[in-house]
Amino acid sequence: MRHPVLGLVVLFFLVLLFAGGTLFWGPTDISFQRVWSALFFPGSDVSATQILWELRMPRVFAGLFAGASLGLSGLVLQSVFRNPLAGPFVLGVSSGASLGVALVLLAGFGRGSLGILSAAAMGAFGVIFLVLFCSKFLEHSVSLLIVGLMLGYLIDAMVSLLMYFSDAESLRGFVTWGMGSFSRLTLSETPRFAGVFFVGFALILAGIRYLNVVRLGDAFAESLGIAVRPYRLIVLAGASLLATGATVYCGPISFLGLAVPHLAYGIFRSSNHRVLIPACALLGALLALMAGWITEIPLNAVTSLLGVPVVLWVLLASRHRRSGGVRG
Amino acid sequence: MAEVLLTADSLGVGFNQPLFAPLGFSLFAGELVCLVGPNGAGKSTLFRTLAGLISPMSGKVTLCEKTLEDYSARERSKLLALVFTAESIPSGMTVEEFVALGRIPFTSFFDHRTKEDYAAVAMALRDADVESFASRELCALSDGERSRVFLARALAGHARVLLLDESTAFLDVPHTLALFRLLLRVAREQNIAVFLSTHNIDYALRFAHRILALDGSGNACIGPVNTVVNNGFLTWAEIGINEKE
């Protein structure tokens, strides 16, 4: 794209539009005026205020932060591992976070949302550094995906075991969490989700120079004077933190992390992370808000139903136009 | 006498044991020096040591009147650029974007580019004669075009010393000739030292100002073409290496 800033501005307004749409239209039919008054004069209309501030507003934030988080996390993982198929779900990072959540919800380690958050973060960090460790012994990036998938299966098996031995009550809570939803976030949890997001985002921003050269290899980056090890640690910590936040507050969402970066490459035709980072954040938020609009169907089904055709179209169209390959 | 840009003092390189006897030489501004030797003689290792990616086993390297170890990675990369044999090539990256990576040592924390950076990239594209396909994708280029793009990336950073590791590999005769001529021109016009490792010994003998020859059994010799040939340092290229079991 010749004018990436213009594209980003358009995306930003689309995100605003869908955020507004989520506020004004929902499963419960409330008139525009009532939502308006509930938004700016909360309390004047009790039922509208309740629906707006307790149901719709958190859903907007959940979609915004979860979508942006997963898009950014996928971008960083694809760049660092030089693999177009990498993503928080494929590499087992989301599974690691799920294990943390399962340990708290099912096995009763720790309590409350802070306990879940730290347990999930530890799970995600654990997996990503295991993958990183394994990547040192692997020549092919395909083998890396297999390692990630294997770790994912192993962790899912552990979670199944935990589910088998837990009581019905906690099991129900865990299963609904596992379906993935933007409706479970409460307004009081939102600042914490936002905090996790912004810390992860800041860590990734700190690694822009590294991310821009890492696709050409570690030796190349070092010859350009970039200290590979600390930067890799920083951006991977950021990526796992973002995946953790999204997983804890919205459940394991499988599709966005893998797909959003490809949308960004296809639309912006850039390999510069100064463009790709905001693009992935906005595109992720946009897709999540679109998917979150349909509240009756499980989120994972919607993201895939909505996203797969879009990604395929972008990939095929761009391949046709530049006769290049998928980024790798 | 031309300006000395890089000096190696009794430099030993290798991982567990030195690959050849300690080596002393200097690279001067404006000259093209070729590094020749059989596979495994230590050409890439020598380059990586000179670039500061590997510590020397003995001796020291001086870059622009300062010991290599005293540079920060970033300051070093402003003075010396290393072009690898097989840089992995990501698809989706255009020539211009790739060449702009050569400015990374100069950019600020968030990789912000200034007018100066853009000017340097434009100049590098022109000097390496790759302007005409600047917006094409890197992975869609021929080997000949790609070798010039790699050179452009190194030129964009205005380094004083260029180390090119087997940039002539995979090139056909016209492209090899063109690259050697281009390197000679760049060395002269920009007053920098170009150090090229190559298996195209015939072209090295024809174009290089000096040759650094490794014979693959631990000996090294640097000097004008005649000296190196007369000292028998290229016999491995003429009659082969005696295989020792």
Side-chain angles (χ1 to χ4, degrees):
Chain A
M1 184 173 282
R2 198 157 287 183
H3 301 291
V5 178
L6 194 71
L8 291 176
V9 171
V10 170
L11 267 184
F12 178 76
F13 281 105
L14 279 175
V15 169
L16 276 189
L17 192 73
F18 273 86
T22 310
L23 285 184
F24 283 100
W25 288 279
T28 333
D29 204 12
I30 325 173
S31 71
F32 188 85
Q33 285 85 357
R34 287 180 65 198
V35 177
W36 188 264
S37 66
L39 192 58
F40 293 101
F41 313 100
S44 58
D45 181 338
V46 178
S47 67
T49 305
Q50 209 166 22
I51 285 172
L52 181 76
W53 288 95
E54 280 169 29
L55 292 178
R56 291 185 184 177
M57 202 59 106
R59 202 182 299 146
V60 168
F61 283 122
L64 279 178
F65 291 132
S69 294
L70 291 170
L72 287 171
S73 179
L75 173 69
V76 169
L77 294 177
Q78 289 183 8
S79 291
V80 171
F81 291 112
R82 282 167 229 135
N83 194 313
L85 288 175
F89 215 81
V90 184
L91 290 181
V93 182
S94 300
S95 298
S98 302
L99 179 64
V101 175
L103 281 175
V104 175
L105 285 184
L106 298 178
F109 289 108
R111 271 229 176 109
S113 82
L114 203 62
I116 292 178
L117 198 59
S118 41
M122 275 192 270
F125 286 142
V127 169
I128 210 158
F129 289 111
L130 258 178
V131 171
L132 184 64
F133 178 72
C134 292
S135 75
K136 285 186 182 159
F137 304 102
L138 297 172
E139 278 291 310
H140 284 282
S141 52
V142 177
S143 340
L144 187 72
L145 290 186
I146 297 174
V147 168
L149 281 174
M150 289 302 126
L151 282 175
Y153 280 126
L154 189 70
I155 291 164
D156 289 344
M158 290 187 210
V159 173
S160 303
L161 272 181
L162 280 173
M163 286 166 78
Y164 181 74
F165 287 114
S166 58
D167 58 278
E169 181 59 29
S170 45
L171 193 59
R172 191 174 327 126
F174 185 74
V175 168
T176 38
W177 170 84
M179 302 253 248
S181 164
F182 292 145
S183 312
R184 212 176 25 257
L185 184 74
T186 61
L187 208 54
S188 61
E189 283 171 331
T190 303
R192 204 168 282 158
F193 191 7
V196 171
F197 172 77
F198 284 115
V199 172
F201 191 47
L203 287 175
I204 287 176
L205 282 184
I208 283 191
R209 291 172 72 243
Y210 164 74
L211 286 170
N212 273 342
V213 293
V214 70
R215 274 178 191 273
L216 291 136
D218 290 348
F220 183 82
E222 271 174 24
S223 81
L224 280 169
I226 285 173
V228 169
R229 279 159 167 262
Y231 274 118
R232 185 168 53 202
L233 217 61
I234 288 171
V235 295
L236 285 183
S240 24
L241 202 58
L242 289 174
T244 300
T247 309
V248 166
Y249 292 108
C250 303
I253 301 167
S254 58
F255 179 74
L256 290 176
L258 174 64
V260 166
H262 288 284
L263 272 178
Y265 310 143
I267 295 172
F268 285 90
R269 287 174 202 294
S270 172
S271 60
N272 187 348
H273 285 69
R274 276 171 73 83
V275 175
L276 289 176
I277 286 174
C280 283
L282 290 170
L283 278 168
L286 185 63
L287 274 187
L289 284 172
M290 284 161 105
W293 219 345
I294 311 163
T295 44
E296 294 83 5
I297 311 172
L299 188 60
N300 272 321
V302 187
T303 49
S304 304
L305 281 176
L306 217 99
V308 170
V310 180
V311 172
L312 285 181
W313 175 70
V314 168
L315 276 183
L316 294 175
S318 59
R319 172 165 292 210
H320 173 67
R321 241 172 294 162
R322 31 172 204 165
S323 69
V326 179
R327 281 172 52 117
Chain B
M1 194 69 189
E3 182 188 358
V4 179
L5 293 177
L6 184 138
T7 305
D9 281 322
S10 52
L11 180 69
V13 307
F15 290 99
N16 294 315
Q17 52 185 29
L19 287 160
F20 41 79
L23 194 58
F25 63 90
S26 292
L27 298 178
F28 299 94
E31 72 169 346
L32 169 66
V33 181
C34 283
L35 173 61
V36 298
N39 285 336
K43 298 192 297 294
S44 295
T45 315
L46 173 61
F47 271 10
R48 279 164 195 249
T49 309
L50 293 178
L53 302 185
I54 307 172
S55 317
M57 295 201 72
S58 61
K60 67 167 186 171
V61 179
T62 312
L63 174 64
C64 297
E65 296 171 346
K66 204 165 128 187
T67 311
L68 201 58
E69 291 158 19
D70 295 341
Y71 283 100
S72 69
R74 186 188 272 232
E75 291 308 314
R76 183 190 67 218
S77 61
K78 285 179 185 174
L79 290 171
L80 182 146
L82 175 59
V83 177
F84 295 96
T85 324
E87 290 175 352
S88 63
I89 298 154
S91 46
M93 186 177 260
T94 65
V95 169
E96 195 171 2
E97 283 179 317
F98 176 75
V99 173
L101 293 182
R103 297 300 296 173
I104 288 274
F106 298 87
T107 58
S108 64
F109 197 62
F110 292 121
D111 206 6
H112 174 69
R113 305 299 168 100
T114 61
K115 261 187 195 151
E116 224 174 288
D117 292 320
Y118 289 117
V121 170
M123 193 129 85
L125 289 170
R126 199 164 52 238
D127 288 342
D129 200 18
V130 296
E131 254 179 327
S132 53
F133 46 90
S135 56
R136 272 175 58 199
E137 267 189 44
L138 205 55
C139 59
L141 300 180
S142 72
D143 289 323
E145 292 166 330
R146 202 175 285 160
S147 66
R148 299 211 302 278
V149 171
F150 285 172
L151 175 65
R153 194 277 299 166
L155 290 177
H158 294 321
R160 300 297 317 275
V161 178
L162 299 190
L163 305 177
L164 299 111
D165 197 358
E166 294 189 20
S167 293
T168 56
F170 314 118
L171 298 190
D172 61 6
V173 171
H175 280 108
T176 311
L177 273 172
L179 188 70
F180 269 98
R181 293 207 171 102
L182 182 59
L183 289 176
L184 270 180
R185 197 185 79 207
V186 161
R188 189 181 59 241
E189 283 178 1
Q190 313 207 354
N191 202 30
I192 60 180
V194 179
F195 196 12
L196 167 77
S197 82
T198 180
H199 285 297
N200 293 81
I201 295 169
D202 36 355
Y203 295 104
L205 295 177
R206 180 170 154 195
F207 287 104
H209 295 113
R210 287 188 301 152
I211 304 265
L212 172 52
L214 304 173
D215 69 352
S217 41
N219 304 307
C221 169
I222 185 166
V225 173
N226 289 335
T227 319
V228 174
V229 174
N230 295 340
N231 285 350
F233 264 88
L234 293 176
T235 49
W236 58 270
E238 287 154 9
I239 58 169
I241 308 166
N242 297 326
E243 296 286 337
K244 286 177 211 155
E245 283 300 316

